[in-house]
Structure formats: structure tokens, C-alpha cells
């Protein structure tokens, strides 16, 4: 069944303005944590982020990243593709299930293995990422690696983009819309349905970016705003403190 979603441009603009007003002077928005001994923008950093984003489905993200960092301290070798390809699936599964606690263990193992095999072709990610001269280069590269979906791949793209390693200045061309972003958009009246197909999701992403450009707010920043409000307020049911409470129907119901 094809569902065509209606989008309220004015309400979307209002939401972006409210989020920008609330978050613009706050640091470390939507930061993805990584082990403290890893040097930022090093080859090890990018390897870790490739693995980190692979299983980050947005559900209980903070707990997932805590578990992943703890796993790194105990088993750093499973973040090294050269070592992973020498492991058996059962050996890898035992570590991931016991310490990372992925939502879908068998899928997680297969994705981890496939990613490791793909990364063997790029012994120096720093040098390779530095060759990208436009957003499309980065986007095509991530899409060429099996295992990433719209959200997980979009998150990885944003992390790489924000690090400044790529050789281009143009803004992101898409925002990775997940279930939380769709719910925020629905409850604030931007869209009239939560049942979005792939094309609807792309249209919603495009509208956020288009209005962000009008307001001089970068796509990666809007992505962080949406992540933060979902993680800090929606997930914790802190409607009365949310910067979107004046436009959110859930906040009005909870009053």
C-alpha cells in the first residue's frame, strides 16, 4: 500500500526554529562516544565508528554505546578487521552477545563479519576518506558497504562529515530519519501519518534540509537537534521540559 504523507512546511520551520533556539549554544550535541584511548580522527577512530554505527538502531542508544566501549576495553581485537576475519562466527557471537547485547544477535554477527571483510580493502581509512571531494563520494562509499541501513549509514556519514576528514565543504544532502524522528514529526504536526514509506522518509528529510538552508542551519545540525530532543525528552517522557512542548500534541495531552 502506497502512503502519500502530507507535510506542513510552516510547522516544520517552527520546529527547527524552536530546536535551534534551545540548542544553538550547547556543546557536544548528539556526540557518539568512543573509548578514551582512541585518538580522534585516527585510523583506529574511524574503524571504531564503522563498527559502532553498524548496530546503532537508535533504541537505547546510550546503553548500546556504553556496552560497546566496555567491550572494546576487553576485546579490542574485534574492532580490527584483520583479526575479525580469522574468527569463527560462534566465537564472535559469544563476545557480542555476552558484552554488547545486540537486539538481533545472528544478524549482528553476520553484519560484523561482512563489514570486516569490506574494510580489509581500505588499510588506511584516513587517507581514503581524505580523497572524497564531494558529499556524493562519501554517500556512495557508505552505501557500497553492506550492512548499513538508512539510519545507521546516515549516522556514519554525519560522523565522518563532522570530523572534517573529507576534502569538501558542501553540506549533507540527507538526514537519517528514524522512528523517533518520524514520531517527533508526527506529534508536532509536521506530517499527518506515522506510516511512511521509503519515498515519504526521503521527502521529509529533504524538507528539513530545505528549510534548514532557508534558516541558515546545516543539515548535520538539524540531525543532531532531532537526535537530542528524542533522546533527552521523548525517551524519558520529559514533555514538560521539552523545547517542542508548545507544538507537540503529546505534551498537550500530558498536561
Amino acid at each position: 500500500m502506497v502512503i502519500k504523507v502530507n507535510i506542513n512546511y510552516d510547522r516544520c520551520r517552527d520546529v527547527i526554529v524552536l530546536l535551534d533556539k534551545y540548542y544553538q549554544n550547547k556543546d557536544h550535541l548528539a556526540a557518539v562516544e568512543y573509548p578514551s584511548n582512541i585518538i580522534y580522527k585516527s585510523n583506529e577512530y574511524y574503524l571504531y565508528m564503522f563498527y559502532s554505527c553498524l548496530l546503532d538502531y537508535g533504541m537505547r542508544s546510550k546503553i548500546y554505546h556504553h556496552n560497546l566501549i566496555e567491550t572494546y576495553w576487553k576485546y579490542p581485537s574485534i574492532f580490527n578487521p584483520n583479526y575479525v576475519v580469522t574468527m569463527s562466527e560462534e566465537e564472535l557471537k559469544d563476545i557480542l552477545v555476552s558484552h554488547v547485547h545486540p537486539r538481533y544477535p545472528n544478524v549482528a554477527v553476520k553484519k560484523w563479519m561482512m563489514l570486516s571483510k569490506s574494510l580489509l580493502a581500505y588499510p588506511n581509512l584516513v587517507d581514503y576518506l581524505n580523497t572524497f571531494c564531494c558529499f556524493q563520494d562519501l554517500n556512495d562509499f557508505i552505501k557500497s558497504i553492506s550492512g548499513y541501513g538508512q539510519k545507521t549509514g546516515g549516522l556514519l556519514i554525519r560522523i565522518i562529515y563532522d570530523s572534517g576528514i573529507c576534502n569538501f565543504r558542501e553540506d549533507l544532502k540527507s538526514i537519517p530519519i528514524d522512528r523517533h524522528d518520524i514520531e517527533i514529526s508526527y506529534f508536532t504536526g509536521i506530517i499527518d501519518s506515522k506510516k511512511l514509506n521509503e519515498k515519504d522518509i526521503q521527502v521529509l528529510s529533504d524538507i528539513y534540509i530545505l528549510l534548514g538552508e532557508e534558516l541558515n542551519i546545516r543539515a548535520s545540525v538539524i540531525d543532531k537537534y532531532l537526535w537530542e530532543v528524542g533522546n533527552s525528552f521523548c525517551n524519558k517522557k520529559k514533555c514538560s521540559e521539552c523545547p517542542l512542548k508548545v507544538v507537540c500534541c503529546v505534551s498537550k495531552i500530558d498536561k
Side-chain angles (χ1 to χ4, degrees), residues 134-136 139 157 161 168-176 202 205-207 209-210 213 219-220:
C134 63
F135 170 79
Q136 196 60 48
N139 187 61
I157 287 171
Y161 171 84
F168 62 87
R169 295 179 179 273
E170 66 178 306
D171 200 1
L172 299 182
K173 302 301 181 184
S174 65
I175 291 175
Q202 185 58 56
S205 171
D206 292 343
I207 297 305
I209 293 174
L210 176 64
E213 289 175 350
S220 63

Side-chain angles (χ1 to χ4, degrees), residues 152-165:
T152 54
L155 176 61
L156 179 57
I157 287 171
R158 193 248 291 165
I159 289 171
I160 294 172
Y161 171 84
D162 283 346
S163 75
I165 188 64

Side-chain angles (χ1 to χ4, degrees), residues 15-75:
V15 166
I16 294 173
V17 169
L18 286 168
L19 292 176
D20 187 58
K21 182 178 180 180
Y22 184 84
Y23 286 118
Q24 64 179 338
N25 294 318
K26 292 178 171 59
D27 298 324
H28 307 297
L29 290 179
V32 177
E33 298 178 357
Y34 57 94
S36 58
N37 70 324
I38 292 180
I39 299 173
Y40 182 55
K41 295 176 65 173
S42 65
N43 195 65
E44 189 176 15
Y45 168 79
Y46 291 111
L47 279 175
Y48 182 88
M49 286 302 170
F50 268 80
Y51 286 110
S52 175
C53 292
L54 187 68
L55 306 180
D56 185 357
Y57 302 111
M59 299 292 290
R60 304 177 70 189
S61 187
K62 287 284 187 182
I63 296 174
Y64 164 73
H65 286 292
H66 171 77
N67 292 342
L68 201 66
I69 290 172
E70 290 298 309
T71 304
Y72 177 86
W73 289 117
K74 296 175 182 177
Y75 304 97

Side-chain angles (χ1 to χ4, degrees), residues 1-5 193 195-200:
M1 179 178 179
V2 177
I3 299 172
K4 184 173 177 60
V5 67
S193 173
K195 296 180 180 179
L196 273 58
N197 58 34
E198 188 174 340
K199 184 176 180 180
D200 293 333

Side-chain angles (χ1 to χ4, degrees), residues 93-111:
K93 182 178 180 179
D94 182 60
I95 294 174
L96 292 179
V97 170
S98 300
H99 300 278
V100 180
H101 311 299
R103 290 174 64 195
Y104 312 107
N106 291 332
V107 173
V109 171
K110 291 188 180 302
K111 283 189 173 185

Side-chain angles (χ1 to χ4, degrees), residues 76-90:
S77 55
I78 71 164
F79 297 86
N80 181 337
N82 291 289
Y83 179 82
V84 175
V85 296
T86 69
M87 301 174 70
S88 68
E89 289 195 1
E90 285 303 314

